Amino acid sequence: MKRLFLFLLFLSVFKISFAQITIVTFDTKTERFVDGDVEKIKFDEPFQIKISDPEFISIITKYGIHNHSHKAEGGIDGDKAEGKDGEEEKVIYQYKKSKHYRFFPPEQLVDNQSMIQLPEVFSNIDDFRITVDPPLHPNELYDIVFIAKKKLKLDDAVITNLRTDITDRIEETFHYTKDAISKAEIKTMYQDVSSLIVKATNSNSLFNKDGERVDLNNPFNNTNVTMHYDKLVKVQLNLNELTDKICGKKGGGVDETTPGYAYQYYDIMKKHINKDELLASIKEILSDEYFKDFLNAPVNSVIDPDLKNEHIITIIKRDLETTSVDLSEYVNSDICACEILNENIHQLLAGQGKITGNIVLPSINYDLVGGQILLSLLLNLKSLEDVNGEGVFQKSQDLDKLINVVKCWVIDVDKFNKLQGKRKTIKESFPDILDGVYTNWYSTTNISLYAPVDTQETPYVGVDFGFVVAPDISTTFAFEGINFHLRPVNRNAKFSYLKGIDWWLKRTSFTIGMAQRINTTNDRFDKLTSIGSPLIGVGFRINRMIRVGAVSLFYKEKNENPVIEDVNTKNTWAITMSLDTELRNLGSFFVKLLNF
């Protein structure tokens, strides 16, 4: 008996060694399992789903019994679902599902406690393997849902254009020429940027690396561009403040105003400078041979050695000879937007002119070099002396007022230009707003593992080959039998996968069979039929191949008197140990044994 037991144990290990996990392939293009793969899936046994897609980053899988919810109790109407015709249909929480098939660990359930969610699967080789465990039950329809993080595959040109369009839209909203930026304008900008993103990605469902949905109502909030966006907005606002000082806009208070530098220059010339005396002094400098060296000298050799004092004095002379338009209405407004400036210096300080030689040409940018040259000339004139060693300009304090205006202008324009350079750098380094952003790919399908009960393919019926020991008659038998289960059985499934009453019902069976005596200890024993002695009883699988059982064995017993030929039909209890296999696997089972 010891040898018999060891032999059966060895065969059970042999069978288990053949077990391999089933792998099925899901095609993301058709959103279906590859033909024939679903039929490979075995109930009560984990399997793997293979998904190959180079655009996927990770996959979350959820699955559960169709129209099944743990919220209701057995036999009570549960949640309602929408039927095929749009009508609500009651989802019945059946007793079978609530008791027998409640295999989901409650802490893993999601979606109204109707599905189990598997851990997120990642892959660096575009080949995802998803292990479905806990396994599926037979005779149930399952919903399987795949949610994948999908890469945004965009051309470099699309990303570059999107970056440019976004930064241009930010600048447009916070442009330094605006007096104020309303909340409505900012909201509109958010909407426009969101539209740009949706157009570029062809998706309005985007997620960041933490799995959080990108807020398209505020696309700059908590994204990789938030810091750059804040910097760009801050630069634009700083430019706006400087523009207020250079051009003249309303300040912080309602009545507080800051006239632009062009207006301040105009106002000093009007109120503090005698234009006739100044013009006479300028003409004297230009005509007197004594000042020839001064006129031919560079205004500022460091800035521009080609611009002479004569060039800039000539520009000032033309302004003094020109009747200036009345600019009093621009004391409280943007003088840079004034279209009637007719003096060269006014145009320069309003950002409408650029010094070129002894003329001022139209320009749309602040001419910082021109302002520095003008400032240098005014300083040169302040220190200029005539042949007697006296200052040419007796009222130098009035000249100081002009110098101070131009000096402040130069300082602010220099700041403005540096901020413009910073703005350009921020724009060029503005990151890809879609970096680390992905879109969700969603697909749902069904699997039904139907276990037939009316053909030889049925997993309800198994075949036994083993031995019977009848202690009361001291006899050992070989037997072959058939066992019947109340539930379909996957003989490769580990017992740990069986939960609740399944742990018993899928291991316990009713057994009928025929035994053949293999020893002659009791000579009065005789088989009941020509092919052996029938037996009936119950069996219990102790592992995935070996079954032990308790049976009642029927046999004939000869009379103690050998002369009397009458026999009695009797039965005795017996213990069985057998190899268990499915009926449909009987042939392959013997092939494996013979090839071993």
Side-chain angles (χ1 to χ4, degrees), residues 374-514:
L374 175 62
L375 177 61
S376 298
L377 176 71
L378 293 176
L379 292 172
N380 291 343
L381 291 177
K382 179 182 177 181
S383 60
L384 182 64
E385 296 179 348
D386 59 16
V387 66
N388 299 319
E390 296 180 358
V392 174
F393 297 94
Q394 297 297 325
K395 297 181 179 180
S396 60
Q397 67 274 14
D398 294 334
L399 201 58
D400 284 340
K401 292 184 176 65
L402 293 178
I403 290 173
N404 185 61
V405 169
V406 177
K407 182 179 179 181
C408 290
W409 183 92
V410 167
I411 292 173
D412 286 339
V413 169
D414 182 52
K415 291 179 181 178
F416 182 91
N417 288 349
K418 288 178 179 177
L419 281 174
Q420 286 282 50
K422 186 176 181 180
R423 177 193 63 83
K424 182 179 179 181
T425 300
I426 294 173
K427 284 189 66 175
E428 291 175 348
S429 63
F430 203 88
D432 175 15
I433 196 171
L434 299 176
D435 184 30
V437 173
Y438 62 88
T439 183
N440 264 4
W441 177 87
Y442 180 92
S443 179
T444 182
T445 188
N446 299 109
I447 288 181
S448 179
L449 301 183
Y450 176 64
V453 296
D454 55 358
T455 72
Q456 70 177 37
E457 295 293 319
T458 174
Y460 288 83
V461 180
V463 178
D464 285 346
F465 296 94
F467 300 90
V468 181
V469 176
D472 285 354
I473 59 176
S474 302
T475 302
T476 302
F477 302 83
F479 92 98
E480 56 284 338
I482 297 177
N483 52 77
F484 301 90
H485 294 270
L486 297 179
R487 293 196 177 174
V489 174
N490 177 359
R491 288 166 173 77
N492 289 321
K494 294 180 179 180
F495 296 153
S496 58
Y497 299 146
L498 306 178
K499 304 298 181 183
I501 198 171
D502 273 359
W503 191 88
W504 289 99
L505 292 183
K506 292 198 174 189
R507 298 175 66 181
T508 305
S509 62
F510 297 103
T511 301
I512 61 173
M514 194 67 69

Side-chain angles (χ1 to χ4, degrees), residues 42 74 106 245 269 284 308 354 393 469 474 502 519 535:
K42 302 171 183 177
K245 293 181 65 177
M269 293 291 290
E284 180 183 353
K308 312 299 181 183
K354 175 181 176 64
F393 297 94
V469 176
S474 302
D502 273 359
N519 72 345
L535 56 84

Side-chain angles (χ1 to χ4, degrees), residues 297-308:
V299 180
N300 189 321
S301 59
V302 175
I303 298 174
D304 189 343
D306 295 328
L307 275 177
K308 312 299 181 183

